[in-house]
Amino acid sequence: MQFLRIILVCFVFLAGHSALAEQRVLRIATGDYAPFTDQAAPDDGIVNDAVRQLARTAGFDVAFEYMPWMRALEMTRAAHFFASSYWYFSEDRTADFIHVGPVVYDRMVLIRREDTTLPDWESMADLKGITIGAVTGYTYTEDFWELAESGALRVETAQNDEANLRKLLAGRIDVYPMSEESGKALMSRIFSEEERSQITMEPKPLMVTEGYLLVSRNARDAKEIAIRLQDALDRLGPATAQENG
């Protein structure tokens, strides 16, 4: 009887290992957010390259597919993709996703025109009366959307970061919260030197962000693979913006 029990345990272990081995390529939905996720970059950007490395350490390959961010989130929620790279932590998403990370640390700053004066501020709540740009689906700070929905903050949404930065340059919004490194990269690409001279970043960060790989709880072997990915990340450590030079 003991011998049969051992055989059964070994069979279950090998069957589980085989199931994971079949899923060698993890399909990951992502979007363009250079320099972190970048379809044009040979390494797919700082974060996606880090995700590729931790997946390989865990014994998997990855295949990135680029699309609008909200589509990436919803397609991953429905398990059309194994995971989505990358998102800030959100308690609201924990029912549908396993957060693996943090895979990156970055500073979120307030971007404004040089001729715009902001009041003294410590948090978003101090920016009442200021028109703030945002992208629907982005996390920002914990209280950002609550303040916006309550009317305490005046928020105007646009489709993406580029649209918001162009609105900022045109004076249609007063300030835009964005990753410091991603903001620099995007403005360098879309604005002339003269246009960039009209825009500045607040030196004080709004927050230091932690980016996570979101694994769909509905995906096959989600929990087991997420554990392996987290173990690999704990050994490798998160990416940083400075790695991009």
Side-chain angles (χ1 to χ4, degrees):
M1 182 63 70
Q2 184 66 24
F3 178 71
L4 290 176
R5 186 178 294 114
I6 292 172
I7 291 176
L8 179 59
V9 170
C10 290
F11 175 78
V12 171
F13 172 79
L14 291 173
H17 182 75
S18 176
L20 293 181
E22 289 176 8
Q23 197 168 356
R24 291 289 305 175
V25 178
L26 306 179
R27 297 180 64 237
I28 298 179
T30 188
D32 276 309
Y33 197 57
F36 300 103
T37 57
D38 188 353
Q39 189 172 12
D43 62 359
D44 287 289
I46 297 169
V47 171
N48 281 349
D49 187 47
V51 168
R52 179 185 291 109
Q53 296 305 318
L54 74 91
R56 287 177 178 171
T57 300
F60 301 96
D61 289 327
V62 297
F64 294 107
E65 186 167 330
Y66 287 81
M67 62 191 70
W69 285 105
M70 285 308 295
R71 182 184 174 204
L73 187 69
E74 294 309 316
M75 292 283 280
T76 304
R77 191 192 308 273
H80 294 295
F81 292 87
F82 178 78
S84 183
S85 174
Y86 74 105
W87 299 81
Y88 300 153
F89 181 86
S90 172
E91 189 67 38
D92 292 340
R93 298 190 188 115
T94 55
D96 298 315
F97 300 98
I98 302 170
H99 289 69
V100 174
V103 294
V104 68
Y105 292 101
D106 185 38
R107 287 163 38 104
M108 178 179 284
V109 297
L110 296 177
I111 306 175
R112 61 175 174 82
R113 287 176 54 98
E114 284 280 5
D115 57 7
T116 298
T117 301
L118 298 182
D120 291 336
W121 62 273
E122 292 298 329
S123 68
M124 296 297 288
D126 298 323
L127 298 178
K128 296 177 181 178
I130 300 295
T131 303
I132 305 166
V135 176
T136 302
Y138 281 17
T139 310
Y140 300 111
T141 64
E142 286 187 7
D143 58 352
F144 178 80
W145 291 113
E146 291 181 7
L147 291 168
E149 290 171 4
S150 71
L153 288 181
R154 185 190 306 158
V155 176
E156 289 191 7
T157 59
Q159 185 177 5
N160 51 42
D161 294 307
E162 180 175 344
N164 273 300
L165 288 176
R166 292 193 182 281
K167 287 173 66 175
L168 182 70
L169 183 66
R172 294 168 56 197
I173 59 175
D174 298 314
V175 68
Y176 183 54
M178 190 176 178
S179 154
E180 182 176 28
E181 295 300 322
S182 189
K184 290 176 182 177
L186 182 56
M187 287 190 288
S188 178
R189 181 170 62 84
I190 67 174
F191 291 151
S192 67
E193 184 176 349
E194 180 182 354
E195 289 172 327
R196 291 197 300 274
S197 70
Q198 301 175 47
I199 296 177
T200 189
M201 292 182 173
E202 288 282 290
K204 178 173 60 178
L206 179 63
M207 63 184 296
V208 176
T209 62
E210 298 180 347
Y212 289 82
L213 178 70
L214 295 187
V215 173
S216 174
R217 292 189 183 274
N218 295 316
R220 178 185 175 190
D221 300 318
K223 184 176 180 180
E224 293 84 352
I225 296 177
I227 289 172
R228 288 173 60 171
L229 292 173
Q230 187 67 58
D231 287 344
L233 179 60
D234 292 342
R235 294 197 298 273
L236 294 174
T240 64
Q242 287 68 35
E243 292 178 13
N244 202 43

